[in-house]
Amino acid sequence: MNLSRAALILLSAFYVAKAQNCASNDNGQCDFDPFNPVVCGPDKNCGYKNFCLAAAAGYDVEADCCQAPQPSSCSFLYDPKVCGSKACPYDNLCIAELAGYSADQCTDAPEQCPAGDDAQCSGEPSNPHKCGSGKQCQYENICLARSAGYDITADCCQDTRTNTACTANVAPVSCGPPTGKQCPYDNQCLADAAGYSENQCCPAVPDDVNDVSSSLEFLSDAAGYSENQCCPAVPDGTTCTSNFAPVTCGSIPCLYVTQCEATAAGFSESDCCPQATGACTSEVDPVECGSNKCKYDGLSCANAAGFSSDQCCKLPTETSACPTNLDEVACGSLNCVYANPCIAELAGFDPNSCVRSSQNGDFNRPGVQSTGESAGAAGAFGIQKMHLIAAILSILGLLGYQMN
């Protein structure tokens, strides 16, 4: 049976006893009891692989223990729940369900806010921060947050200064890098007061909307986005390999860790382009490759995405100086097709060496259609999007995704 790392970590709780904290009285009397794991004690941190061992350790199984999940492939998502009358804690609903609870028996776990060291931090200047998974724990200064055990960079958001004059209107925003820590504020004014600018924030879904609908389309509309600004999500329960082979799909473009996830989100392979997973130069010398017309900043990036030089055609970085008329020409040994001779020249070809469609009928397009659109068709924004995707991929790589 293939188990996720989450499952293996869970299982280890039942076999690796914390001897200094957890009682044990295993004399072999429970060897023939079936595997039915429980966690016991005030903090539910003592694991036993069956009821017999828990009882032998001195616990009242009904009063002191919670059913633990069976081995599974639940995700690593940390969305803590407490379930049942004993408020049994689980890292997410999937794990709670494996322990036998249903969704209507569980609620979100309340965030416990550790206290800072008031004596140590009494002389520190006011610099308010909100910390924790829900950013619900408030501290008057960085010293208090740190003494409470938080990593300011990873766990906390700058809070709004208390003397800021903002309206009370609720138009929530979420601020921070696309793949990094997100800091929530009730409106942009409060975010500005915390040190963020408007271009660092995105509209967020109001809290009360979640009670109205779970539809992704509804939620994105509530956040102020239109359909052509959103990417379809990978459905819950999708099982794909953990290999890191990212693709971008559609016109936005939408980034997925593998083609498997992109397919689950509704894209076919013809809608997607592989992304570079290795190093490529920062110089912008754009190319277009393959039958899907995949665009890259340069040939080194295309190579890192799996394309060879004989599958790629050069693109001009700017085409505004050229006329918009369609007068297709094919150039070079690859018969790279450009919308007109001017664009072909900007791509580095001598127009006199190119063949017009009137001379040769339908061109052989080796994986490239008319490059009149080129990298320059989207202007500098197109290049910026390529750089943004490359930055996101670098971050994902640092987070530990396995490279092919």
Side-chain angles (χ1 to χ4, degrees), residues 23-368:
S24 176
N25 188 23
D26 184 1
N27 296 315
Q29 74 274 31
C30 302
D31 289 351
F32 293 95
D33 277 51
F35 180 74
N36 190 6
V38 292
V39 285
C40 306
D43 297 321
K44 303 298 183 289
N45 61 350
C46 293
Y48 301 93
K49 64 181 180 181
N50 54 47
F51 286 13
C52 176
L53 285 172
Y59 289 105
D60 180 334
V61 175
E62 289 299 319
D64 303 329
C65 303
C66 289
Q67 180 71 55
Q70 296 282 352
S72 75
S73 292
C74 284
S75 73
F76 292 99
L77 172 70
Y78 184 69
D79 183 18
K81 306 292 181 186
V82 291
C83 307
S85 59
K86 290 186 286 186
C88 296
Y90 302 98
D91 280 355
N92 57 50
L93 183 59
C94 172
I95 295 173
E97 289 174 338
L98 290 168
Y101 289 100
S102 60
D104 58 4
Q105 293 176 293
C106 301
T107 59
D108 290 336
E111 183 157 5
Q112 303 296 318
C113 296
D117 188 336
D118 290 326
Q120 175 188 345
C121 303
S122 59
E124 293 291 321
S126 175
N127 188 5
H129 277 69
K130 300 180 294 185
C131 305
S133 58
K135 303 299 180 284
Q136 296 172 351
C137 298
Q138 296 181 321
Y139 299 93
E140 181 59 28
N141 54 52
I142 291 177
C143 175
L144 284 170
R146 282 179 174 156
S147 65
Y150 289 107
D151 179 330
I152 298 297
T153 302
D155 304 328
C156 301
C157 290
Q158 176 72 57
D159 202 356
T160 301
R161 274 68 169 180
T162 54
N163 61 350
T164 302
C166 289
T167 62
N169 70 301
V170 177
V173 295
S174 182
C175 307
T179 60
K181 179 179 67 179
Q182 290 294 302
C183 294
Y185 300 95
D186 281 349
N187 55 50
Q188 185 63 49
C189 174
L190 294 173
D192 292 343
Y196 286 100
S197 62
E198 189 171 354
N199 62 4
Q200 293 174 297
C201 302
C202 291
V205 179
D207 290 338
D208 58 354
V209 170
N210 292 316
D211 298 328
V212 178
S213 170
S214 60
S215 161
L216 290 176
E217 290 81 6
F218 182 91
L219 295 176
S220 61
D221 289 345
Y225 288 105
S226 61
E227 185 177 355
N228 61 4
Q229 293 175 298
C230 298
C231 293
V234 179
D236 290 340
T238 299
T239 302
C240 294
T241 65
S242 60
N243 289 341
F244 185 56
V247 295
T248 56
C249 309
S251 58
I252 292 179
C254 301
L255 177 64
Y256 300 95
V257 173
T258 62
Q259 180 62 51
C260 170
E261 290 193 357
T263 301
F267 290 102
S268 65
E269 289 192 22
S270 61
D271 299 321
C272 302
C273 290
Q275 294 302 301
T277 55
C280 54
T281 63
S282 58
E283 181 181 357
V284 176
D285 188 15
V287 293
E288 184 178 80
C289 309
S291 58
N292 292 355
K293 299 182 292 182
C294 300
K295 294 181 175 65
Y296 302 95
D297 281 357
L299 187 57
S300 64
C301 295
N303 293 158
F307 289 102
S308 59
S309 58
D310 60 1
Q311 293 176 291
C312 301
C313 289
K314 291 188 64 175
L315 295 176
T317 56
E318 179 58 56
T319 60
S320 59
C322 290
T324 57
N325 66 300
L326 183 63
D327 183 16
E328 285 190 339
V329 292
C331 309
S333 60
L334 298 181
N335 278 340
C336 297
V337 178
Y338 300 94
N340 56 53
C342 175
I343 293 174
E345 186 172 13
L346 290 176
F349 289 99
D350 178 0
N352 295 322
S353 68
C354 301
V355 180
R356 278 188 165 83
S357 59
S358 58
Q359 295 175 285
N360 199 33
D362 290 334
F363 291 126
N364 172 30
R365 292 176 168 83
V368 182

